[in-house]
Amino acid sequence: MSFSFQLEATCGAARAGRFLTPHGEVRTPVFMPVGTLATVKGVPQDVLEELGVQILLNNTYHLYLRPGVETIRQLGGVQKFMAWHKPILTDSGGFQVFSLSDLRKLTEDGVQFRSHLDGSSHFLSPERVVEIQLALGADIIMCLDECTGFPATYEETRKSMELTARWARRSKDYFEAHRHEVPWFEEKTLHFGCEQSQALFGIVQGGMYPELRRESAGRTVEIGFPGHAIGGLSVGEPREKTWEIVKETIPLLPADKPRYVMGVGTPEEIVEYVRLGVDMMDCVMPTRAARHGLLFTSDGKLNIKNARYARDENAIDPNCRCKVCARYSRAYLRHLYMSQEVLAQVLNTVHNLAHYLDIMRRVRETIVSGEFAGTRPAV
Amino acid sequence: MSFSFQLEATCGAARAGRFLTPHGEVRTPVFMPVGTLATVKGVPQDVLEELGVQILLNNTYHLYLRPGVETIRQLGGVQKFMAWHKPILTDSGGFQVFSLSDLRKLTEDGVQFRSHLDGSSHFLSPERVVEIQLALGADIIMCLDECTGFPATYEETRKSMELTARWARRSKDYFEAHRHEVPWFEEKTLHFGCEQSQALFGIVQGGMYPELRRESAGRTVEIGFPGHAIGGLSVGEPREKTWEIVKETIPLLPADKPRYVMGVGTPEEIVEYVRLGVDMMDCVMPTRAARHGLLFTSDGKLNIKNARYARDENAIDPNCRCKVCARYSRAYLRHLYMSQEVLAQVLNTVHNLAHYLDIMRRVRETIVSGEFAGTRPAV
């Protein structure tokens, strides 16, 4: 088995666990920074290591367009390509096809679309998406799903959810027949002395309808994936709705496998999702906000553009132990931001990631020590 | 004395030495990376330390406009502001006034100009420029000079050189009367137990006329500066002309004080300038070229955009010991560059700086060991 999930402690519905991948272990709950094009924008890989990043998310859609799948496959997979030797998860590209690309045409077979970069035409089927993710070689890969929009009627959502369920079956079948085609299969299998392959996760859809989420969960779990994601969230619905859907869906997913909520959330929200029993999350929020000068602190959000920081000698967050807070003042960081200096993005991103990862580390510690309920923030 | 220069070894005209500043020692010959707005674009200060950067150059003109002199003064000077606790040199701003700003009006008193950022009107005199540099608080500061353009007639150049000489005297007078106003004067003086102030360098002008360079050198040296720069180069003249002027001018500058050639050069050129007896150099070349994907290697220049590198697993320079070459492939760096990822700029800059600093370290070692002549590259 190249993927195994072990629970270590629970505290209410919250869980601390760990899973093993061909590129190392991941302790959960875990926050996965987003490294869209095989880079967390502006942050060198050694700094990600220093920050304690355990697993990165890369976007299949973006890597498929640049530098192309065949390039990464020939270079030994995305870990070798980006010189990140720890676990990576790739998404299916479905979300980006539905949010970024033009002229989509959806059929039972798959989805035809035009690249947002050059208008070139592409076709992705569930099988092709697994094939691409085999070539990229991340440790965890995702089934192609249809990301139902918001708002959507019950009938639209049912139709979409059923398509996702059929695609999940096709993805699994293709994956089982081709799992040995991952670029590092032989190397890792020889090294570990037993078969090492990727883990393909299923994705629960069903929009904002708990009944459809229930049906989707049942049909996805039935297929037999080593982990399950809840997709189709953060698509424009109110945040309370997101929370409600996760709350309803989590108990429907097997407790002995990791549960992954895609595309969430704020620092407060990620703690709340852990409380509901979520093990894995990813979100562009810390990295994207950093690029807009929005910094997360133990005292709330801070907009570094604000004129009040022009001569402020304090760290972004005096309670933060990251290397940015240890060295630089708000005055300097504001100057960098206002002068559109690249270092602003680099340092802001390092701080925001440190903030998220620190939260997750502390949450995990309190789950293990049985004190998690006491850390509940006001959400 | 807060500034002292000691020669350690010579090899032909080439010299190895060291000077002490209130923020630490600098071993020469030294290459100073350019940190225009109190940042070497894209590179965090801890990485500059790892690279072995001894002294940074900041641009007075840029810091004067953003974040403004009073902000930096109130924050204790540019070292504290940018959290770089080693030596810094600021230029006079003259070069930028003459190359970047609009609507310049030059008088005996100084220069009126409009900001390239917002068109606001400013006036700089030799005294004001020293006052600004006192407030910024770099360890080495420069006299305001008129940077003679290229081409320029003998008469224009003489007139300009004479103005620079008169301004140098005024700069020195103002500096001597106000040197204690540097923001860290008391702190450093108490700490060291003797007066610690900045070192004001004079600048030799005289365009492309050796006779005027000779006169300028004489008049500048007479004023009694602790170090001398050769300015007015890299202004459009052929590279051989630059070399010729430096060659003619260096012997006219006192051997017991550091000699600084401003704004040069390529990796080959900086070695040649050391051979002529130059101790200090700065240039945007390694950092600016990096941002355009031009990488310096032991085997010449490499354009990372080139399609031939798309699947090249080699380091930028297999002979380079920098952290970028230790970790990343040309294929990955090309992907970052082609995708306009910020990490491309960060990593390319780190490599190019490593290349320059490595050259200077090796050159210094060979001067000390008496083997410098043997390292002459084909220029």
Side-chain angles (χ1 to χ4, degrees):
Chain A
M1 270 299 289
S2 61
F3 188 89
S4 67
F5 179 65
Q6 277 139 28
L7 273 182
E8 236 175 273
T10 56
C11 198
R15 307 126 57 85
R18 53 183 70 210
F19 59 79
L20 194 65
T21 80
H23 290 85
E25 186 183 75
V26 174
R27 278 154 294 136
T28 61
V30 66
F31 179 80
M32 304 185 284
V34 176
T36 300
L37 273 157
T39 163
V40 175
K41 295 189 184 306
V43 186
Q45 274 68 314
D46 59 331
V47 177
L48 297 174
E49 286 169 357
E50 279 173 38
L51 283 168
V53 171
Q54 301 187 74
I55 174 169
L56 282 183
L57 180 141
N58 286 170
N59 290 126
T60 293
Y61 170 87
H62 290 285
L63 292 174
Y64 165 77
L65 295 178
R66 287 184 302 188
V69 175
E70 192 49 26
T71 293
I72 293 181
R73 193 189 66 75
Q74 281 198 17
L75 291 165
V78 71
Q79 289 91 354
K80 277 196 184 161
F81 176 62
M82 70 177 289
W84 172 256
H85 307 295
K86 294 177 184 239
I88 293 177
L89 179 149
T90 44
D91 62 4
S92 70
F95 185 83
Q96 282 75 26
V97 167
F98 293 104
S99 62
L100 286 183
S101 72
D102 294 324
L103 296 169
R104 286 178 302 282
K105 204 184 139 199
L106 188 75
T107 62
E108 181 66 28
D109 199 27
V111 57
Q112 184 92 32
F113 66 95
R114 287 189 184 279
S115 158
H116 75 291
L117 294 174
D118 62 4
S120 57
S121 187
H122 301 269
F123 179 76
L124 292 179
S125 65
E127 292 82 4
R128 176 69 181 135
V129 161
V130 171
E131 185 186 19
I132 289 168
Q133 289 183 92
L134 277 160
L136 296 178
D139 299 86
I140 300 176
I141 66 176
M142 306 299 296
C143 293
L144 182 64
D145 55 339
E146 191 198 354
C147 187
T148 318
F150 178 85
T153 66
Y154 180 88
E155 268 318 306
E156 287 164 351
T157 308
R158 163 166 288 286
K159 214 177 130 201
S160 168
M161 179 275 286
E162 289 179 349
L163 181 67
T164 290
R166 291 190 297 272
W167 282 5
R169 170 68 69 186
R170 286 166 53 186
S171 302
K172 171 80 169 167
D173 290 347
Y174 187 91
F175 177 70
E176 291 305 332
H178 297 269
R179 55 196 295 163
H180 59 281
E181 290 169 16
V182 69
W184 39 257
F185 183 82
E186 282 189 29
E187 177 202 328
K188 290 280 174 189
T189 296
L190 278 170
H191 176 74
F192 283 94
C194 61
E195 186 190 308
Q196 295 289 313
S197 63
Q198 301 170 297
L200 173 68
F201 279 24
I203 304 178
V204 174
Q205 289 284 349
M208 304 304 151
Y209 302 93
E211 177 193 332
L212 297 180
R213 288 279 172 183
R214 174 173 299 274
E215 186 173 333
S216 180
R219 292 174 71 165
T220 308
V221 169
E222 194 183 55
I223 296 171
F225 293 107
H228 302 94
I230 304 180
L233 297 176
S234 297
V235 289
E237 77 282 7
R239 283 308 208 173
E240 310 78 60
K241 196 73 194 170
T242 320
W243 188 80
E244 187 189 312
I245 293 293
V246 173
K247 188 171 190 294
E248 299 273 350
T249 311
I250 282 293
L252 309 172
L253 300 176
D256 62 348
K257 291 175 178 176
R259 297 148 164 177
Y260 166 26
V261 178
M262 307 177 83
V264 294
T266 66
E268 295 78 17
E269 285 166 354
I270 63 175
V271 177
E272 285 309 297
Y273 288 127
V274 170
R275 194 182 311 287
L276 295 177
V278 174
D279 306 300
M280 301 165 67
M281 283 167 272
D282 78 272
C283 194
V284 292
M285 189 169 284
T287 43
R288 184 175 290 166
R291 298 198 294 279
H292 293 99
L294 287 170
L295 303 173
F296 296 101
T297 79
S298 55
D299 198 34
K301 262 187 288 189
L302 181 157
N303 187 337
I304 199 68
K305 289 188 283 293
N306 202 308
R308 88 175 81 155
Y309 302 125
R311 295 182 184 178
D312 188 334
E313 299 183 68
N314 293 300
I316 301 168
D317 181 352
N319 298 318
C320 175
R321 289 165 303 173
C322 85
K323 65 198 274 184
V324 178
C325 286
R327 182 155 198 163
Y328 304 101
S329 66
R330 293 171 180 172
Y332 181 62
L333 294 166
R334 177 176 189 271
H335 161 69
L336 293 179
Y337 190 85
M338 298 306 284
S339 306
Q340 298 175 289
E341 280 290 339
V342 160
L343 192 58
Q345 171 173 341
V346 175
L347 299 180
N348 291 348
T349 303
V350 170
H351 167 78
N352 273 358
L353 283 179
H355 186 76
Y356 267 69
L357 295 165
D358 226 46
I359 286 175
M360 274 310 204
R361 254 191 304 268
R362 278 185 284 115
V363 161
R364 190 176 197 278
E365 282 167 17
T366 55
I367 295 171
V368 170
S369 66
E371 298 164 307
F372 179 58
T375 62
R376 175 159 198 158
V379 175
Chain B
M1 272 296 291
S2 62
F3 187 88
S4 67
F5 178 65
Q6 278 138 29
L7 273 183
E8 235 175 274
T10 56
C11 198
R15 306 125 58 84
R18 54 182 71 210
F19 59 80
L20 194 65
T21 80
H23 290 86
E25 187 183 75
V26 174
R27 279 154 294 137
T28 61
V30 65
F31 180 80
M32 304 185 285
V34 176
T36 299
L37 274 158
T39 162
V40 175
K41 296 190 183 305
V43 185
Q45 275 66 311
D46 60 330
V47 177
L48 297 175
E49 285 168 358
E50 280 172 36
L51 283 168
V53 172
Q54 300 187 74
I55 173 168
L56 282 183
L57 180 143
N58 287 169
N59 290 124
T60 292
Y61 171 87
H62 291 285
L63 291 175
Y64 165 78
L65 296 177
R66 286 183 302 191
V69 176
E70 192 48 27
T71 293
I72 293 181
R73 194 189 65 76
Q74 281 199 16
L75 291 166
V78 72
Q79 290 90 353
K80 277 196 184 160
F81 176 62
M82 71 177 288
W84 171 257
H85 308 295
K86 294 177 184 239
I88 293 177
L89 179 150
T90 45
D91 62 5
S92 70
F95 185 83
Q96 283 74 28
V97 167
F98 293 102
S99 63
L100 285 182
S101 72
D102 295 323
L103 295 170
R104 286 177 303 281
K105 203 184 142 202
L106 187 74
T107 62
E108 181 66 28
D109 200 28
V111 57
Q112 183 94 32
F113 65 95
R114 288 190 183 277
S115 157
H116 75 290
L117 293 174
D118 61 4
S120 57
S121 187
H122 301 268
F123 179 75
L124 292 179
S125 65
E127 292 81 6
R128 176 69 180 134
V129 161
V130 172
E131 184 186 22
I132 289 168
Q133 290 183 91
L134 277 159
L136 296 177
D139 299 86
I140 300 175
I141 66 177
M142 306 300 296
C143 293
L144 182 63
D145 56 337
E146 191 196 356
C147 188
T148 319
F150 178 86
T153 66
Y154 180 88
E155 270 317 306
E156 286 163 352
T157 308
R158 164 166 289 285
K159 212 178 130 199
S160 168
M161 179 275 284
E162 289 179 348
L163 181 67
T164 290
R166 291 191 297 273
W167 282 5
R169 170 68 68 187
R170 286 167 54 188
S171 302
K172 171 79 169 167
D173 290 346
Y174 188 91
F175 177 70
E176 290 305 332
H178 296 270
R179 54 197 295 161
H180 58 281
E181 290 169 16
V182 69
W184 38 258
F185 183 81
E186 280 189 31
E187 177 202 328
K188 290 280 173 189
T189 296
L190 279 169
H191 176 73
F192 282 93
C194 62
E195 185 190 307
Q196 295 290 311
S197 62
Q198 300 170 297
L200 174 68
F201 279 23
I203 304 178
V204 174
Q205 290 284 349
M208 304 305 149
Y209 301 94
E211 177 193 331
L212 296 180
R213 287 280 172 184
R214 174 174 299 272
E215 185 174 334
S216 181
R219 294 174 68 165
T220 308
V221 169
E222 194 183 55
I223 296 171
F225 293 107
H228 302 94
I230 304 180
L233 297 176
S234 296
V235 291
E237 78 281 9
R239 284 307 206 175
E240 309 78 59
K241 195 74 192 166
T242 320
W243 186 80
E244 188 189 312
I245 292 294
V246 173
K247 187 170 189 292
E248 299 273 350
T249 310
I250 281 293
L252 310 171
L253 300 175
D256 62 348
K257 292 176 176 176
R259 297 148 166 177
Y260 166 26
V261 177
M262 306 177 83
V264 294
T266 66
E268 294 78 17
E269 285 165 355
I270 63 174
V271 176
E272 284 311 297
Y273 287 127
V274 170
R275 193 182 312 283
L276 295 177
V278 174
D279 306 300
M280 302 165 67
M281 283 167 270
D282 78 272
C283 195
V284 294
M285 190 171 282
T287 43
R288 184 175 289 165
R291 299 199 293 280
H292 293 99
L294 286 172
L295 303 173
F296 296 101
T297 79
S298 54
D299 197 32
K301 262 189 289 189
L302 181 157
N303 186 337
I304 200 66
K305 290 187 284 292
N306 203 308
R308 88 175 81 158
Y309 302 125
R311 294 182 185 176
D312 187 336
E313 300 182 67
N314 293 300
I316 300 168
D317 181 353
N319 297 318
C320 175
R321 288 165 305 175
C322 84
K323 64 199 275 186
V324 177
C325 286
R327 182 155 197 162
Y328 304 101
S329 66
R330 293 170 180 173
Y332 181 62
L333 294 167
R334 177 177 191 271
H335 161 68
L336 293 180
Y337 190 85
M338 299 306 284
S339 306
Q340 297 175 286
E341 281 289 340
V342 160
L343 192 58
Q345 171 173 342
V346 175
L347 299 180
N348 291 350
T349 303
V350 169
H351 167 77
N352 274 359
L353 283 179
H355 185 74
Y356 267 68
L357 295 165
D358 226 46
I359 285 175
M360 275 308 204
R361 254 191 305 268
R362 278 185 285 116
V363 161
R364 189 177 198 279
E365 283 166 18
T366 55
I367 294 171
V368 171
S369 67
E371 299 164 307
F372 180 59
T375 62
R376 174 158 198 159
V379 174

